[in-house]
């Protein structure tokens, strides 16, 4: 927690803003210094030097001219030299006043006006100088006097313009600016490096955070993504909080988060003896990796700690953890993702069966493998494609207690055969079809198959016995009427010869809806039976509420009647009750002669059981009917109608 909040502080908004501001300031300062440096550099040092040198030359050439002028009064006089120096001086002024390169010199303080005034004074000396040279006069002293103040003013100009200092100053400024600029560059680089480091650190932090649940700090589903392997010595456990959604929907997110925390604490207590890792997939889903060889012990401890009563407001909620476990080193696979999948599959299995846990073992693996085979086979078979599974029908005759060979009808029984597994129990087929949404398809296949097999028995042989057909849950829907009409009645099976069997489980207390379905078909003459009567929880209520005309008394009421007068009386009273309610009763599971005799003595009912007939192939069923008809009168139709 401490480390987390420290990291949070490092990545807080003020820190980010400060870093950004510092960087912007440094970049601004660097840019400013750079501009200053550019400006300083634009003053050409070369030009400055040139100006200074030109003025110095002027001073020097003025000295030369003055020297020649003074020499005119002596023997060393050289007029040509004097004129040459005059011209040189003249050109220098011209150069300083006219040339582009001399512009800085001219522009400096009042240089230009001083230069112009000196140049005009020099030009004023031209006429007297020419006169003296051509020898008209020899008054050199006057000219020397005229030159003297010029020379002084000129030297002053040179002195005033001595630019050594100025250049030095300029150089110093440039130097300082350069130093500032490089310092700023270094600082900027340092700050950029710091920011890059900060970003790298932030990136690592974000990646780590993304693998952690923000509420609980536990590794989350992303962590599972990067997990490479799991030790074979570790059990993988998938875990759900069973009542989480109830808490969330009834009490809101705060309480739900509370529940998550409480549950995690409980899990930790259950795991405290083990080395484990807890991963959180969602607020109510977890995965646990535990080192243990004794899965049974681990499960007991986990169950003990996560089954608890949780107080919310003034309500008490029984919270239950539910587990799917792939035990350590058990399975044939070591790939952790396969094992994780097994654990999840166990969890799903436990949820489906209403258990608090399910451990992946050989049996379960086999069961799931078989389920897959049967499911795949069913899908293909029902789609009329080549399949490893095939369905067929058997007919178990229902006889009258008056004559055991008097076949009054039959219950159509589903049989399934899978190439690798052999026979598959029909209730498993029905359950799988229900689970995978194949229920109606199965029902339609059943109706179509019954019609195909039995049509001739009714239309050509005039059989009038009842066909009892088990309805699976999905068939108890609005489409039932359409399916019965189009697949059975239209094929030629008389409605009065059909009895549709409903179990209590399938009716699921929705009497109104089921009665509506029953009513629509019973108007057409179709009968309905309550199957397995007596095995559900509210049997009598069903008998009273549903508009059925048959009761199929479960075989458990027949078991042992030959040994117990009480049991026999009890069965008798059920039959009597059915009679009172104008229901025809069918006693199921009569397996021996003693039972048969007792049931026959009670009277008033039909019998279905191994003692009379086992389920038969359709051809054998027809053969049995014909055999019976041949033993009784030739006018069989009167005999079998009831
Ligand atoms: O629940 P329902 O009535 O649909 O059950 C029919 C099943 O009962 C069939 O699978 C059939 O094989 C079985 N069965 C039929 N007669 C007997 C019997 O006399 N004894 C036993 N144990 N099972 C029977
Ligand atoms: Mn049945």
């Amino acid at each position: 927690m401490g480390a987390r909040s420290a990291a949070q502080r490092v990545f807080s908004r003020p820190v980010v803003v400060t870093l950004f501001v510092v960087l912007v300031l440094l970049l601004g300062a660097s840019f400013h210094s750079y501009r200053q440096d550019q400006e300083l550099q634009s003053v050409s040092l070369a030009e400055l030097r040139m100006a200074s040198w030109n003025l110095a030359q002027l001073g020097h050439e003025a000295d030369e001219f003055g020297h020649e002028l003074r020499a005119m009064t002596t023997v060393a006089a050289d007029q040509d030299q004097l004129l040459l120096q005059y011209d040189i001086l003249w050109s220098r002024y011209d150069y300083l006043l006219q040339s582009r390169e001399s512009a800085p010199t001219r522009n400096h303080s009042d240089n230009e006006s001083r230069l112009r005034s000196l140049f005009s004074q020099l030009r004023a000396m031209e006429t007297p100088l020419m006169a003296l040279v051509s020898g008209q006069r020899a008054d050199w002293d006057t000219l020397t006097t005229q030159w003297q103040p010029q020379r002084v003013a000129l030297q002053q100009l040179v002195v005033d313009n001595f630019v050594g200092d100025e250049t030095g100053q300029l150089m110093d400024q440039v130097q300082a600016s350069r130093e500032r600029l490089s310092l700023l560059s270094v600082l900027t680089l340092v700050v950029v490096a710091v920011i890059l480091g900060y970003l790298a650190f932030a990136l690592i932090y974000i990646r780590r955070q993304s693998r952690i649940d923000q509420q609980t700090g536990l590794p989350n589903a992303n962590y599972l993504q990067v997990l490479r392997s799991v030790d074979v010595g570790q059990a993988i456990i998938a875990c759900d909080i069973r009542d989480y959604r109830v808490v969330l929907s009834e009490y809101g997110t705060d309480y739900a988060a509370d529940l998550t925390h409480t549950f995690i604490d409980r899990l930790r207590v259950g795991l405290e003896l083990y080395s484990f890792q807890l991963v959180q997939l969602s607020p109510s889903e977890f995965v646990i990796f535990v080192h243990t060889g004794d899965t049974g012990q681990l499960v007991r401890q986990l169950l003990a700690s996560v089954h608890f009563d949780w107080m919310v407001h003034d309500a008490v909620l029984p919270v239950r953890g539910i587990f799917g476990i792939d035990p350590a080193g058990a399975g044939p696979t070591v790939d952790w993702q396969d094992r994780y999948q097994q654990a999840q599959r166990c969890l799903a299995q436990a949820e489906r069966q209403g258990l608090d846990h399910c451990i992946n073992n050989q049996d379960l693996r086999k069961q799931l493998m078989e389920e897959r085979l049967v499911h795949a086979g069913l899908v293909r078979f029902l789609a009329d494609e080549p399949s490893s599974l095939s369905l067929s029908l058997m007919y178990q005759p229902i006889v009258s207690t008056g004559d055991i060979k008097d076949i009054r009808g039959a219950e159509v029984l589903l049989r399934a055969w899978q190439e690798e597994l052999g026979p598959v129990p029909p209730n498993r087929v029905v359950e799988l079809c229900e689970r995978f949404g194949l229920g109606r398809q199965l029902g339609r296949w059943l109706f179509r198959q019954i019609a195909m097999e039995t049509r001739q028995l009714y239309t050509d042989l005039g059989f009038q016995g009842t066909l009892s057909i088990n309805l699976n849950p999905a068939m108890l829907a609005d489409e039932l009427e359409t399916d019965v009409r189009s697949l059975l009645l239209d094929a030629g099976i008389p409605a009065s010869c059909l009895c549709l069997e409903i179990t209590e489980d399938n009716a699921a207390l929705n009497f109104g809806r089921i009665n509506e379905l029953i009513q629509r078909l019973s108007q057409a003459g179709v009968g309905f039976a309550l199957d397995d009567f007596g095995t559900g929880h509210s049997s009598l209520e069903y008998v009273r509420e549903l508009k059925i005309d048959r009761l199929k008394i479960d075989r458990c009421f027949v078991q042992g009647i030959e040994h117990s007068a009480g049991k026999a009386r009890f069965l008798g009273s059920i039959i009597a009750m059915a009679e009172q309610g104008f229901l025809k009763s069918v006693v199921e599971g009569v397996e021996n002669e003693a039972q048969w005799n007792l049931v026959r003595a009670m009277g008033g009912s039909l019998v279905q059981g191994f003692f009379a007939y086992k389920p038969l192939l359709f051809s054998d069923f027809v053969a049995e009917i014909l055999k019976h008809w041949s033993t009784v009168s030739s006018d069989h139709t009167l005999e079998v109608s009831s």
Side-chain angles (χ1 to χ4, degrees):
M1 246 358 206
R4 256 185 82 209
S5 55
Q8 272 169 351
R9 239 176 288 135
V10 169
F11 296 115
S12 63
R13 189 189 302 236
V15 175
V16 174
V17 170
T18 310
L19 271 174
F20 182 74
V21 167
V22 168
L23 183 69
V24 166
L25 285 177
L26 274 171
L27 285 173
S30 297
F31 185 67
H32 178 72
S33 278
Y34 170 76
R35 289 289 301 274
Q36 241 180 8
D37 189 63
Q38 288 289 98
E39 234 164 67
L40 282 171
Q41 295 229 43
S42 74
V43 179
S44 165
L45 283 177
E47 277 182 21
L48 267 179
R49 286 221 179 81
M50 186 72 159
S52 182
W53 183 80
N54 272 320
L55 280 176
Q57 278 309 103
L58 181 71
H60 179 69
E61 283 154 8
D63 277 352
E64 285 292 310
F65 175 70
H67 178 73
E68 290 302 329
L69 197 60
R70 254 179 277 115
M72 290 313 289
T73 52
T74 64
V75 279
D78 181 345
Q79 288 189 352
D80 289 343
Q81 195 60 32
L82 176 70
L83 285 178
L84 180 67
Q85 287 303 330
Y86 182 80
D87 280 347
I88 287 173
L89 198 53
W90 206 94
S91 326
R92 181 66 63 191
Y93 273 120
D94 187 53
Y95 174 74
L96 281 168
L97 283 167
Q98 299 303 327
S99 79
R100 204 184 58 78
E101 302 89 85
S102 303
T105 316
R106 284 199 298 274
N107 296 340
H108 187 68
S109 79
D110 55 352
N111 279 2
E112 185 163 3
S113 58
R114 284 165 83 182
L115 278 167
R116 282 199 192 288
S117 130
L118 281 168
F119 189 29
S120 63
Q121 284 175 44
L122 182 75
R123 277 195 312 243
M125 285 172 69
E126 190 181 4
T127 317
L129 182 67
M130 294 318 281
L132 282 175
V133 168
S134 56
Q136 290 165 356
R137 287 177 29 219
D139 188 6
W140 290 102
D141 288 338
T142 325
L143 203 58
T144 309
T145 319
Q146 195 178 345
W147 166 246
Q148 208 52 43
Q150 273 188 62
R151 207 197 67 149
V152 174
L154 202 142
Q155 262 160 5
Q156 191 56 49
L157 181 69
V158 173
V159 169
D160 288 349
N161 276 281
F162 182 66
V163 292
D165 279 356
E166 227 164 290
T167 316
Q169 268 172 18
L170 197 68
M171 291 296 283
D172 285 350
Q173 276 177 33
V174 170
Q175 190 64 25
S177 152
R178 290 267 161 88
E179 274 165 16
R180 202 163 50 240
L181 201 62
S182 67
L183 181 70
L184 282 169
S185 302
V186 169
L187 271 178
T188 310
L189 273 178
V190 167
V191 170
V192 165
V194 165
I195 286 177
L196 280 179
Y198 183 81
L199 285 178
F201 189 48
L203 214 66
I204 293 167
Y205 177 74
I206 287 166
R207 283 179 65 108
R208 272 192 47 189
Q209 286 299 100
S210 75
R211 290 184 210 140
I212 288 173
D213 186 274
Q214 295 304 303
Q215 295 285 327
T216 61
L218 285 173
N220 63 12
N222 290 341
Y223 170 83
L224 277 194
Q225 297 293 320
V226 296
L227 201 66
R228 304 229 182 275
S229 67
V230 170
D231 185 8
V232 246
Q234 280 184 316
I236 302 181
I237 304 178
C239 167
D240 267 15
I241 308 176
R242 181 173 274 162
D243 300 301
Y244 180 80
R245 187 142 291 132
V246 176
V247 174
L248 187 60
S249 60
E250 297 285 318
Y251 304 103
T253 45
D254 286 352
Y255 280 97
D258 255 12
L259 175 61
T260 303
H261 279 112
T262 313
F263 191 86
I264 290 170
D265 290 344
R266 293 277 184 156
L267 270 180
R268 288 209 168 100
V269 171
L271 291 162
E272 66 191 352
L273 296 177
Y274 304 91
S275 95
F276 68 92
Q277 183 163 34
L278 185 56
V279 178
Q280 185 174 5
L281 302 182
S282 80
S284 64
E285 295 169 293
F286 307 89
V287 181
I288 313 162
F289 301 97
V290 200
H291 275 281
T292 177
D294 189 348
T295 312
Q297 167 82 2
L298 170 69
V299 170
R300 275 191 297 282
Q301 271 167 6
L302 278 175
L303 288 177
S305 61
V306 298
H307 282 199
F308 59 96
D309 289 333
W310 197 56
M311 320 278 178
V312 219
H313 298 296
D314 46 0
V316 178
L317 200 85
V319 175
R320 299 285 175 267
I322 165 166
F323 300 95
I325 303 132
D326 187 61
T333 171
V334 284
D335 179 43
W336 90 264
Q337 286 183 329
D338 286 348
R339 294 190 53 208
Y340 172 67
Q341 194 182 344
Q342 303 283 7
Q344 289 291 359
R345 196 172 280 161
C346 288
L347 181 60
Q349 184 85 357
E351 255 160 18
R352 207 161 40 232
Q353 297 178 347
L355 303 171
D356 51 20
H357 76 282
C358 175
I359 300 174
N360 189 23
N361 58 27
Q362 221 57 46
D363 284 352
L364 182 70
R365 270 195 285 276
K366 202 167 142 249
Q367 189 189 331
L368 292 170
M369 189 271 289
E370 287 177 9
E371 243 171 43
R372 271 205 302 274
L373 277 178
V374 175
H375 178 211
L378 275 171
V379 170
R380 298 181 133 260
F381 181 84
L382 294 174
D384 227 358
E385 284 171 21
S387 171
S388 60
L389 178 136
S390 61
L391 299 177
S392 62
L393 301 180
M394 297 284 270
Y395 296 79
Q396 187 177 32
I398 294 172
V399 300
S400 143
T401 44
D403 178 355
I404 199 163
K405 293 294 162 192
D406 180 4
I407 297 175
R408 296 296 184 86
E411 175 168 357
V412 185
L413 298 168
L414 186 67
R415 293 290 178 261
W417 180 272
Q418 206 280 337
E419 279 169 12
E420 286 165 56
L421 307 171
V424 182
N427 50 2
R428 250 184 106 188
V429 169
V430 171
E431 192 253 322
L432 276 176
C433 283
E434 225 31 57
R435 197 185 327 148
F436 294 112
L438 298 167
R440 180 162 180 229
Q441 243 178 299
L442 175 70
R444 287 175 60 85
W445 175 84
L446 186 77
F447 286 177
R448 219 178 275 129
Q449 188 70 11
I450 290 171
M452 203 178 77
E453 289 182 3
T454 65
R455 205 168 50 88
Q456 274 186 321
L457 180 64
Y458 285 98
T459 54
D460 298 355
L461 297 178
F463 181 62
Q464 293 185 13
T466 309
L467 280 182
S468 290
I469 302 169
N470 294 295
L471 294 182
N472 61 48
M475 290 161 77
L476 283 171
D478 291 338
E479 295 82 12
L480 180 66
E481 191 189 352
T482 324
D483 289 348
V484 169
R485 283 183 188 279
S486 66
L487 300 174
L488 291 167
L489 304 186
D490 290 356
I493 319 283
S496 60
C497 292
L498 286 175
C499 175
L500 304 180
E501 297 189 6
I502 304 169
T503 63
E504 293 169 21
D505 290 349
N506 296 355
L509 274 173
N510 196 343
F511 299 129
R513 192 176 64 92
I514 305 289
N515 277 334
E516 225 171 87
L517 287 176
I518 292 177
Q519 201 137 25
R520 269 188 257 155
L521 279 162
S522 49
Q523 272 163 9
V526 177
F528 280 85
L530 184 63
D531 200 5
D532 300 336
F533 171 70
T535 55
H537 299 291
S538 43
S539 309
L540 291 175
E541 198 187 354
Y542 281 81
V543 178
R544 193 189 63 197
E545 297 296 332
L546 289 176
K547 297 186 170 156
I548 47 158
D549 40 45
R550 256 186 203 217
L551 205 59
K552 296 196 74 175
I553 301 164
D554 194 76
R555 63 172 164 272
C556 68
F557 296 107
V558 176
Q559 268 164 21
I561 53 166
E562 68 274 38
H563 307 300
S564 154
K567 284 185 180 171
R569 266 202 310 280
F570 193 76
L571 176 62
S573 57
I574 296 175
I575 295 171
M577 183 205 75
E579 243 166 63
Q580 290 269 313
F582 306 104
L583 297 174
K584 193 165 275 181
S585 53
V586 180
V587 180
E588 293 190 287
V590 174
E591 290 181 343
N592 55 49
E593 195 170 4
Q595 290 175 349
W596 168 261
N597 287 331
L598 281 167
V599 174
R600 190 165 60 161
M602 290 168 199
S605 63
L606 297 167
V607 170
Q608 179 186 352
F610 291 168
F611 183 68
Y613 286 102
K614 295 208 159 143
L616 303 172
L617 289 173
F618 182 69
S619 55
D620 296 337
F621 173 56
V622 176
E624 285 299 322
I625 294 169
L626 294 175
K627 205 162 77 188
H628 177 64
W629 283 351
S630 66
T631 62
V632 295
S633 91
S634 56
D635 189 11
H636 62 264
T637 44
L638 276 175
E639 291 283 320
V640 290
S641 63
S642 59

